[in-house]
Amino acid sequence: MSPADVAGNLMPMWKKQKREPDECLTGLIEVLKQAKEDAAATKVKEAEEAKEAATKKAKEKEEAEVKKAKEEDKGKDKAPEVANGNINE
């Protein structure tokens, strides 16, 4: 919340209606509470997104390792055939 927002909430004249000082302070407190709740919700959402991104990255890394292992296994399967001269062309 910017200083201008705070000042706007403390002004006794608000939308052409006269407000008491206590009403101004109460209004400011309400706005500050709402801003705090919004910030907490945003923080939770960002944490969830970061967790999802980390999970996705770990899954992609695992899939890449599995793919690499499969390719290495295929290469090992062909090696004895080449050594024995059993490859038909």
Side-chain angles (χ1 to χ4, degrees), residues 18-32:
K18 184 101 171 137
R19 294 191 324 171
E20 294 294 319
D22 290 338
E23 291 175 3
C24 294
L25 287 174
T26 303
L28 175 62
I29 291 169
E30 293 296 321
V31 170
L32 289 172

Side-chain angles (χ1 to χ4, degrees), residues 41-84:
T42 301
K43 188 174 181 179
V44 168
K45 184 178 179 181
E46 289 174 354
E48 288 174 357
E49 289 174 354
K51 185 178 177 181
E52 288 175 9
T55 303
K56 183 178 179 182
K57 186 176 180 179
K59 185 178 179 181
E60 289 174 353
K61 184 178 178 182
E62 183 180 330
E63 289 173 354
E65 289 174 357
V66 168
K67 184 177 179 182
K68 184 178 177 182
K70 285 182 180 180
E71 289 175 0
E72 289 176 359
D73 286 343
K74 286 181 182 179
K76 289 179 183 177
D77 290 343
K78 291 181 181 178
E81 294 174 358
V82 171
N84 294 332

